[in-house]
Amino acid sequence: MDLTSQDYPGDRDEKAASLAGQRSVALSNKLSGVLSVSYADSEIRDALCLLDAKNVQNTPDLRRSIRSDLQKDVIECNSSIVQEFGQLAEQLKRVGSIMSSLNACCEDMRRQVAAARQENTPILDEASALLKEKHDLEKKKQLLTAFNQHFVLPEESLMVLTSTTEAINADFFAVLDRTKQIHADCQILLGSENQRLGLELMEQSSRQLNSGYQKLHRWIQKEFKALDLENPQINAFFRRSLRTLAERPALFENCLDSFSEARKHVLTDGFFNALTGSSANEDPTMKPIEFHAHDALRYAGDILAWAHSATLSERESLESLFISEGDEMAKGIRAGRHSEPWSAIDGESFDGRKALDDLVNRNMTGVARALRQRIEQAVQGQDDAVTIYKIANLISFYRVTLIKLLGPDSSIMKALSALEGVAMCQFEALQSDQTATSQAEFTQAPSDLSVPDVLEGTLTQVKALAKTYESSLTPADSREDDFKPILSQTLKPVLDTCRSLAKDLDTPSTDIFLLNSYNSARSTLQSFDFTQWLVDQVDQVVASSTSSLIDYQHAFFLHVSGLYSLLTALTPLTLSEEDLLQVPHLAPFRPSALTEASRTLDEFLPSALIDALDNLKQLQNTKLAGDVTSEAADRFCEDFEFVETRLAAVDELSAAKKEEHGESSGDDDDDGDDEENSGGRDGAKVQHDEENERVPLRSFYPRTSGDIRVLLS
């Protein structure tokens, strides 16, 4: 054994440590190298993807053979690629040979085509020229055909438009619309250099339109004669005909004039038939209006009701005939005024509703004239003022109702306004005569002071007038002013007469008569809100008369009870000691006078209220009589309390003086017999004795205010 080569344990440890250190350094270097490689490197990324696709397992054998395996795969891939490129090169060679043969063929065909083109060029040029000429001719033919179709009417259409043997139907309106369109389109032709064609076509279309409108005008006039406005199923072609004819204002106005004249006669005849019942179509159960001619109010009401119904029916019928949805009639008239500017008034625009109102007004002119004549005769033949006022109020009702439909300038409105004026003039004349007659007969108040018959009749009349006026359509804010003249002509003069006659009566008859009359008037007037101004005047008179009666009853209580003399004597005096000391020396407060006053009061109290109410027995309002007496009794009680308080104050002062004088007399007895003061003491003693002997006034007049209030309650 070689001792030099023998490993000792210490050397083996050193070698092992050295190998371990080298391995650690190598591993660290490998890790650093691996970690320093960036995954963003495409080669590293592709290599890792290939390894991942092969599902490589981390085994020692695989780590040793992986390099050779990968190189083997690369060689095999390269070999397959070389083989495929060899096949591709063979195919490209075959394609090249085919392309060469095709190029040769195409060159041969090009030479043949060039030779053929040289031979066919003249023929093709001639064919192209012929085809272009044919195309131009076809365009001209189409243009001429379109022009004729648009601007020229065929004979059949001309017959439909102008021939009187052809009926008015949808074909007529279609041809008329087309003719209007032709006439409008002719303006385009006038914008060209050669305007002859446009002028000729426009003139031709104008003649055709005039012929068509003339035909339509004659047909409408014929239809108007047989038109029944009460029939709701009016021919639709007739409405369309009117809207179309409106485009010619002159012809349209001519038709309306004829129609209005015919309707005026029809409505007037209908009015007279309703009056007399002579119509063959009249309902036999309906009596003619003149059957009630004896009753002026019903007669006028029936006439006005018929006129109102006829006006509404006429307006509704004409509205459905002339005013259509979309305002087509107004559009037609505006178009006609545009085409015929000489037919329009400067600055005036067409208003369909106003034109309708004018037409209704023209149709109702005859009815308005006959209505005014008949009602005016009925009013003038009536002598009852209330009936005439009811007729005037009825006329006012229909006037307010119809003015919303016809306006204030219509013939019906003018007739109703005139009739209302005639009725009110007749009413005022009759009322003036009636007032003059009643005042001539009403010369003195009734003996029982009751409401005069003239006033009762007037109140009955005023109540009827007020109820009639209450049902009118007068605005609430002007009712009082409108009805004021009626009250001033009817009731106010009678009330003034009552006041003048009451001045000739004695008290309290004056106030009783006024209260009876004016309370009756107030009970009638206060039911209506438009008589407040007169109610206020009546209330003033009633309040004044009531106050006068209270004063009278109060004076009655004072005089009959005997309290008047006591109250008169005490009223000027105050509560001062000087005035109170004078009371016992006054004549009404002497013992005998007070005793007599107390006896008179005792006799008065048991029947005081009955006697007082007997004074007002002619007052028809018993409640008012009780209230007046009660108020007078309260005032009497207050006066009695005043007298009672003053008498008690006098008695208290007398008692105080009595005690004071008693003390002073004792002091005088203790003094000596002074000769110089003996005379004064004797006089004072006499006065003190009189005061000591004086009896309290309340002992002669013992009644208290409580007793009085109980007995007069």
Side-chain angles (χ1 to χ4, degrees), residues 352-367:
R353 295 291 175 182
K354 184 176 182 299
L356 178 64
D357 293 340
D358 292 340
L359 183 59
V360 175
N361 179 34
R362 290 159 61 184
N363 296 350
M364 297 297 296
T365 303
V367 174

Side-chain angles (χ1 to χ4, degrees), residues 445-446 448-452 455 459 495 498-499 501-503 505-524 537-553 615-629:
D448 58 353
L449 304 180
S450 61
V451 180
L455 179 59
L459 290 176
L495 292 178
C498 290
R499 293 189 66 178
L501 293 178
K503 296 179 181 179
L505 301 176
D506 298 331
T507 305
S509 299
T510 298
D511 298 314
I512 292 175
F513 176 65
L514 287 178
L515 286 175
N516 288 336
S517 301
Y518 276 73
N519 278 330
S520 178
R522 183 174 60 177
S523 63
T524 300
Q537 295 182 9
V538 170
D539 288 341
Q540 292 178 0
V541 176
V542 170
S544 177
S545 299
T546 302
S547 178
S548 298
L549 282 183
I550 293 175
D551 294 339
Y552 175 81
Q553 291 289 75
N615 295 333
L616 307 180
K617 62 183 178 180
Q618 291 179 321
L619 185 62
Q620 294 178 347
N621 190 339
T622 56
K623 182 179 182 303
L624 179 60
D627 294 340
V628 167
T629 304

Side-chain angles (χ1 to χ4, degrees), residues 466-671:
K467 286 184 177 180
T468 302
Y469 183 76
E470 190 176 27
S471 63
S472 66
L473 299 179
T474 307
D477 55 351
S478 61
R479 284 195 163 209
E480 186 169 339
D481 293 336
D482 290 346
F483 197 69
K484 188 174 182 178
I486 304 300
L487 293 177
S488 300
Q489 295 172 0
T490 55
L491 182 59
K492 193 66 167 60
V494 179
L495 292 178
D496 293 341
T497 303
C498 290
R499 293 189 66 178
S500 62
L501 293 178
K503 296 179 181 179
D504 300 333
L505 301 176
D506 298 331
T507 305
S509 299
T510 298
D511 298 314
I512 292 175
F513 176 65
L514 287 178
L515 286 175
N516 288 336
S517 301
Y518 276 73
N519 278 330
S520 178
R522 183 174 60 177
S523 63
T524 300
L525 295 176
Q526 65 186 2
S527 302
F528 309 99
D529 55 357
F530 46 84
T531 60
Q532 189 59 42
W533 69 275
L534 188 55
V535 172
D536 294 339
Q537 295 182 9
V538 170
D539 288 341
Q540 292 178 0
V541 176
V542 170
S544 177
S545 299
T546 302
S547 178
S548 298
L549 282 183
I550 293 175
D551 294 339
Y552 175 81
Q553 291 289 75
H554 178 227
F556 170 78
F557 281 124
L558 292 177
H559 286 85
V560 178
S561 65
L563 187 66
Y564 180 76
S565 59
L566 303 180
L567 181 65
T568 304
L570 290 176
T571 299
L573 303 179
T574 64
L575 291 176
S576 64
E577 182 177 344
E578 182 181 359
D579 288 346
L580 292 178
L581 290 176
Q582 295 178 7
V583 172
H585 302 287
L586 299 176
F589 295 95
R590 298 290 183 180
S592 59
L594 275 179
T595 302
E596 181 64 22
S598 178
R599 184 184 62 79
T600 303
L601 179 64
D602 291 339
E603 294 176 353
F604 164 74
L605 288 176
S607 61
L609 289 178
I610 297 176
D611 294 341
L613 289 173
D614 189 62
N615 295 333
L616 307 180
K617 62 183 178 180
Q618 291 179 321
L619 185 62
Q620 294 178 347
N621 190 339
T622 56
K623 182 179 182 303
L624 179 60
D627 294 340
V628 167
T629 304
S630 177
E631 179 66 22
D634 290 340
R635 291 170 60 177
F636 174 77
C637 291
E638 293 175 358
D639 293 338
F640 187 86
E641 288 179 1
F642 173 77
V643 173
E644 180 186 17
T645 302
R646 293 301 173 90
L647 292 180
V650 171
D651 290 341
E652 290 177 359
L653 181 62
S654 298
K657 288 292 183 180
K658 183 178 180 181
E659 293 178 359
E660 180 181 353
H661 292 164
E663 294 176 357
S664 63
S665 61
D667 294 339
D668 291 340
D669 291 340
D670 293 338
D671 294 339

